[in-house]
Amino acid sequence: MSIHKDITIYDIAEALNLSPATVSRGLKEHPSIRKDTRKRILDKAKEMGYRQNFFASNLRRNRTNTIGVIVPRLNSYFMSAVIAGMEKIANQAGYNLIISQSMESVAKEIVNAKTLYNTRVDGLLVSLAYGTDDISHFEDLLEKGVPLIFFDRVFDHPLCTSIVIDNYKAGYEVTQHLISQGCRRIVHATASLKRNVYADRLKGYKHALSDNGIPYDEKLVFINNLSEQASTEVCKTLLQMEPRPDAIFASNDAFAVNCIRELKQAGISIPQDIAVAGFNNDPLSKVIEPNLTTVNYPGNEMGEVAASTLIRRLDLQHGTSLNTIVLRHELIVRESSLRKPKV
Amino acid sequence: MSIHKDITIYDIAEALNLSPATVSRGLKEHPSIRKDTRKRILDKAKEMGYRQNFFASNLRRNRTNTIGVIVPRLNSYFMSAVIAGMEKIANQAGYNLIISQSMESVAKEIVNAKTLYNTRVDGLLVSLAYGTDDISHFEDLLEKGVPLIFFDRVFDHPLCTSIVIDNYKAGYEVTQHLISQGCRRIVHATASLKRNVYADRLKGYKHALSDNGIPYDEKLVFINNLSEQASTEVCKTLLQMEPRPDAIFASNDAFAVNCIRELKQAGISIPQDIAVAGFNNDPLSKVIEPNLTTVNYPGNEMGEVAASTLIRRLDLQHGTSLNTIVLRHELIVRESSLRKPKV
DNA sequence: CTGTTAGCGCTTTCAT
DNA sequence: ATGAAAGCGCTAACAG
């Protein structure tokens, strides 16, 4: 295994009897370089097996061409779609992604932010953990002028753009749909209201109830971490309620699916006894029986939009930009909530 | 938004009336530095908000502290578990992960390898795409002495360690189990035999058949990309076969689940008419009805082992090491294959 | 259009 | 135990 020394622009310059500066320019798309010398340089570079040393370049230019990503978890269909979208855009634009997971822990999120700060990422794409109260751990980055873009679980900050869907509207639509199916005692299971996605859906839920003259009953709202265990507990509680709830609107599909499994095991029939709706349009939703009513969440698009917004800002030193970008969602009605013939 | 200039070791040196060299040493754990000066340096660094410039350091030391990862896709439970395991170990050891997806495309895999080569990653963790025939696109890396470790979908190479499970044995066990349930015409649906995981499972399948005196019938083996569409086609074909197959052993859970859905829709009862088994122990397997018999795949452990093996090699310039590390799998029997009372 | 020159921030001999 | 000095490879004034 021979470990050859790396070829530098000096080697190319020497071989071509040029100055390193010219070679450096030739390797890029510098305007003031003759076309044929550029070609000679490129050819020689390939011939000699040259590869750019990004560290030298980064050191010099004070830029890393790296984008940091912090997500709660990587293990959902939604999140892999987001990442795939980001990767596509980032790679096209010559950026690398460094992905890290907070595992829903504020502490880990803080560590991640610090690591990315030290790595000197050019920009940051973040979806917040359940418990995050403030974004002081990103202050250092922001002070350095590193653009920060939130997606999905966002935070209101004058310097940061947010990419979201209209969670309020989606929550309203799901609830309205359940009501239209004849449900009146609708459980809403969701997670930390510190996060816009959950708070907004809850608002939509409440608003739909009131628009239909159904009183809001806080006993029907369950705030938890949407884990499997939580679904078990919610179902147990719910089955003991009197009168029994006739629908569940869960803030993600995994939770909804677990509820369906749990309830079916308890002899409840879905949707006749209890109708169920989820959120995200995870492939799971088409595996569970009955198939799950849910909200399509454009993960891939969200990743692409987040990345391209960031990169635009990076490349053009683009000062101001939209503060919030709202992507389109879509209610998908399936059997788990269909008690009446489809209109 | 004030963009302060970065603090360097020169600033600290000046503030402390020391030389930059001493500061540099103090920031690390250099043996020949007085304990109190070290402390003074560390304190001052924190006070001034110093952060190391990795580019300067990397440029000087010719190391990146970055590990490149190439996976076919990020969108399975298995793969997120792998990544989570890698991340944990890598971060502990002070390494960053750069993750890229080949999307099962050889061309993209080649581009990814090139990108990571140019990024000068210290080491590489790779699971190959379906179609990859050789690993010439990693030759440049290997020639530079960059350690390359394969996991799951591996490649035999004298310089590379592989992390796998015993796919042969697992394939054997699944098949044997189906046979023990009374199945005799067992379909095996799998993907490119270029990949060890699929080739080995097929071998196990064949061997189990022959050990039970069941003739191997190549018409029962379907090689495809395990997509949803492929599952539809396989089911269609299979339902027209005469005599009809009485079991399916699919090489991943998603495919098995799609088959179950398809077959149920066609009025087939599972497992009475056709027993089904999958692979990976994806959460899906517990959502489908009947619950899916599958093979537990220790994704998290695989990620951890892959990363720690690589890092050991990186840190200790550890020359030789095991060529193959085999992790333990586990057959999980659920209702989708249970035609006889459990023994 | 091309060359000269300085320096990005750090590490590391070598010297003291 | 600390300092002086060189240089990693590249880019960007500036000069021509």
Side-chain angles (χ1 to χ4, degrees):
Chain A
M1 176 179 64
S2 62
I3 304 182
H4 306 294
K5 202 184 156 303
D6 274 316
I7 304 294
T8 73
I9 54 173
Y10 286 92
D11 300 323
I12 299 176
E14 195 176 344
L16 252 37
N17 236 295
L18 288 168
S19 79
T22 306
V23 175
S24 173
R25 294 186 186 108
L27 258 12
K28 322 257 167 309
E29 29 195 285
H30 196 97
S32 62
I33 219 98
R34 279 228 315 276
K35 229 186 164 185
D36 63 317
T37 47
R38 186 174 137 76
K39 182 165 164 26
R40 285 202 305 146
I41 291 170
L42 254 21
D43 289 348
K44 189 53 107 182
K46 186 165 299 173
E47 178 197 326
M48 300 178 74
Y50 169 77
R51 59 173 174 170
Q52 202 199 110
N53 187 321
F54 285 106
F55 301 114
S57 170
N58 287 339
L59 175 58
R60 187 56 231 246
R61 300 184 314 138
N62 214 30
R63 252 164 138 295
T64 73
N65 266 77
T66 297
I67 295 173
V69 182
I70 305 179
V71 298
R73 284 208 145 85
L74 226 39
N75 68 356
S76 65
Y77 176 83
F78 164 66
M79 212 41 102
S80 12
V82 170
I83 298 290
M86 289 177 176
E87 224 202 9
K88 185 180 146 207
I89 301 294
N91 289 349
Q92 276 172 9
Y95 285 86
N96 270 136
L97 245 43
I98 294 196
I99 300 161
S100 60
Q101 313 186 56
S102 67
M103 305 310 265
E104 298 289 9
S105 143
V106 181
K108 182 111 199 287
E109 185 175 286
I110 292 173
V111 171
N112 289 345
K114 189 164 201 158
T115 303
L116 293 174
Y117 175 72
N118 288 327
T119 309
R120 303 191 186 213
V121 292
D122 289 336
L124 222 52
L125 263 13
V126 175
S127 184
L128 293 169
Y130 281 151
T132 303
D133 280 307
D134 61 82
I135 57 167
S136 55
H137 43 307
F138 295 113
E139 275 311 325
D140 287 344
L141 275 308
L142 290 172
E143 265 180 25
K144 295 276 180 200
V146 176
L148 168 55
I149 291 190
F150 291 108
F151 62 93
D152 189 44
R153 304 206 199 151
V154 306
F155 197 94
D156 212 33
H157 186 106
L159 291 175
C160 306
T161 297
S162 291
I163 323 286
V164 290
I165 60 166
D166 188 339
N167 285 286
Y168 165 79
K169 187 159 169 240
Y172 188 100
E173 287 168 354
V174 171
T175 311
Q176 179 63 53
H177 161 73
L178 291 169
I179 295 171
S180 79
Q181 295 298 309
C183 304
R184 307 224 97 219
R185 296 189 45 78
I186 303 171
V187 161
H188 182 40
T190 196
S192 171
L193 299 184
K194 289 176 185 170
R195 296 285 71 80
N196 62 303
V197 290
Y198 306 115
D200 291 352
R201 288 169 203 174
L202 176 59
K203 270 185 219 141
Y205 162 85
K206 284 184 183 176
H207 208 149
L209 291 183
S210 93
D211 280 359
N212 286 274
I214 302 175
Y216 170 69
D217 178 355
E218 66 174 17
K219 285 197 203 66
L220 293 178
V221 174
F222 293 83
I223 312 281
N224 58 59
N225 61 2
L226 300 176
S227 68
E228 184 166 355
Q229 198 198 326
S231 71
T232 309
E233 283 161 19
V234 166
C235 286
K236 203 192 301 178
T237 310
L238 163 172
L239 286 174
Q240 285 166 197
M241 289 174 112
E242 199 60 64
R244 200 170 63 198
D246 52 15
I248 302 176
F249 165 26
S251 238
N252 77 210
D253 287 342
F255 191 92
V257 161
N258 285 330
C259 287
I260 293 182
R261 289 166 59 199
E262 202 77 43
L263 293 174
K264 279 166 71 174
Q265 214 158 13
I268 304 291
S269 66
I270 315 285
Q272 291 73 31
D273 298 334
I274 300 183
V276 180
F279 213 103
N280 281 2
N281 197 18
D282 191 287
L284 267 183
S285 64
K286 285 181 61 180
V287 171
I288 189 72
E289 290 182 24
N291 280 192
L292 186 64
T293 289
T294 186
V295 175
N296 186 51
Y297 205 124
N300 208 86
E301 189 189 352
M302 183 166 277
E304 291 187 13
V305 171
S308 56
T309 305
L310 179 61
I311 289 171
R312 203 172 318 125
R313 201 110 131 228
L314 253 24
D315 285 357
L316 312 179
Q317 304 295 64
H318 206 58
T320 17
S321 54
L322 266 66
N323 204 71
T324 302
I325 298 176
V326 181
L327 269 26
R328 202 178 307 284
H329 67 271
E330 185 190 356
L331 178 68
I332 299 182
V333 175
R334 302 209 189 90
E335 302 88 63
S336 73
S337 67
L338 275 184
R339 305 166 123 196
K340 298 183 174 176
K342 227 170 179 171
V343 187
Chain B
M1 176 179 63
S2 62
I3 303 181
H4 306 294
K5 201 181 157 303
D6 273 317
I7 303 294
T8 73
I9 54 172
Y10 286 90
D11 301 323
I12 299 176
E14 196 176 344
L16 252 36
N17 236 295
L18 287 169
S19 79
T22 306
V23 175
S24 173
R25 294 186 185 107
L27 257 12
K28 322 258 167 310
E29 28 194 285
H30 196 96
S32 63
I33 218 98
R34 276 227 318 275
K35 227 185 163 185
D36 63 316
T37 47
R38 185 173 139 74
K39 181 165 166 25
R40 285 202 304 148
I41 292 170
L42 254 22
D43 288 349
K44 188 54 104 182
K46 186 164 298 171
E47 178 198 325
M48 301 178 75
Y50 169 78
R51 59 173 175 171
Q52 200 198 111
N53 186 322
F54 285 106
F55 301 114
S57 170
N58 288 338
L59 175 59
R60 189 54 231 248
R61 299 185 314 137
N62 215 33
R63 250 164 139 294
T64 74
N65 266 75
T66 297
I67 294 174
V69 183
I70 305 180
V71 298
R73 283 207 146 87
L74 225 40
N75 68 355
S76 64
Y77 177 82
F78 164 66
M79 212 42 103
S80 14
V82 170
I83 299 290
M86 288 177 176
E87 224 203 8
K88 185 180 146 206
I89 301 295
N91 288 348
Q92 277 172 8
Y95 285 86
N96 269 136
L97 247 42
I98 294 196
I99 300 162
S100 59
Q101 310 180 243
S102 66
M103 305 311 266
E104 298 289 7
S105 142
V106 180
K108 182 111 199 287
E109 185 176 287
I110 292 173
V111 171
N112 289 345
K114 190 164 200 155
T115 303
L116 293 174
Y117 175 72
N118 288 327
T119 310
R120 306 195 184 209
V121 292
D122 289 335
L124 223 52
L125 263 13
V126 176
S127 184
L128 294 169
Y130 281 151
T132 304
D133 281 306
D134 61 81
I135 57 167
S136 54
H137 44 305
F138 295 114
E139 275 312 324
D140 287 344
L141 274 308
L142 290 173
E143 266 180 22
K144 294 275 180 202
V146 176
L148 168 54
I149 291 189
F150 291 108
F151 62 94
D152 189 43
R153 304 203 199 152
V154 306
F155 197 94
D156 212 32
H157 186 105
L159 291 175
C160 306
T161 297
S162 291
I163 322 286
V164 291
I165 61 165
D166 188 338
N167 285 286
Y168 164 78
K169 189 162 168 235
Y172 188 99
E173 287 168 353
V174 172
T175 312
Q176 178 63 54
H177 162 72
L178 290 170
I179 296 171
S180 80
Q181 294 298 308
C183 304
R184 307 224 97 218
R185 296 188 47 77
I186 303 171
V187 162
H188 182 39
T190 195
S192 172
L193 299 184
K194 288 176 184 169
R195 296 284 73 80
N196 62 303
V197 290
Y198 305 115
D200 291 351
R201 288 169 203 173
L202 177 59
K203 270 185 219 143
Y205 162 84
K206 285 185 182 174
H207 209 147
L209 291 183
S210 93
D211 280 359
N212 286 274
I214 303 176
Y216 171 67
D217 178 355
E218 65 175 17
K219 285 197 205 67
L220 293 179
V221 174
F222 294 83
I223 313 279
N224 58 59
N225 62 3
L226 300 178
S227 67
E228 184 165 354
Q229 198 197 329
S231 71
T232 309
E233 284 161 20
V234 166
C235 286
K236 204 195 296 178
T237 310
L238 163 170
L239 286 174
Q240 286 165 195
M241 290 174 112
E242 199 59 64
R244 200 168 65 196
D246 52 14
I248 302 177
F249 164 26
S251 238
N252 76 207
D253 286 341
F255 191 91
V257 161
N258 285 332
C259 288
I260 294 181
R261 289 166 60 199
E262 203 77 43
L263 294 174
K264 279 167 72 174
Q265 213 157 14
I268 304 290
S269 66
I270 316 284
Q272 291 73 32
D273 298 334
I274 299 183
V276 180
F279 213 103
N280 280 2
N281 197 20
D282 191 287
L284 269 183
S285 64
K286 285 181 62 179
V287 171
I288 189 73
E289 291 182 23
N291 280 192
L292 185 64
T293 289
T294 187
V295 175
N296 186 52
Y297 205 124
N300 207 86
E301 189 189 353
M302 183 167 277
E304 290 188 13
V305 171
S308 57
T309 305
L310 178 61
I311 289 171
R312 203 172 318 124
R313 199 113 129 225
L314 254 23
D315 284 357
L316 313 178
Q317 305 295 65
H318 206 60
T320 18
S321 53
L322 266 65
N323 204 71
T324 303
I325 298 176
V326 181
L327 268 26
R328 201 179 308 282
H329 68 270
E330 186 190 354
L331 179 67
I332 300 182
V333 176
R334 301 209 189 92
E335 303 87 63
S336 74
S337 68
L338 274 184
R339 305 167 122 195
K340 299 183 174 177
K342 227 172 179 170
V343 187

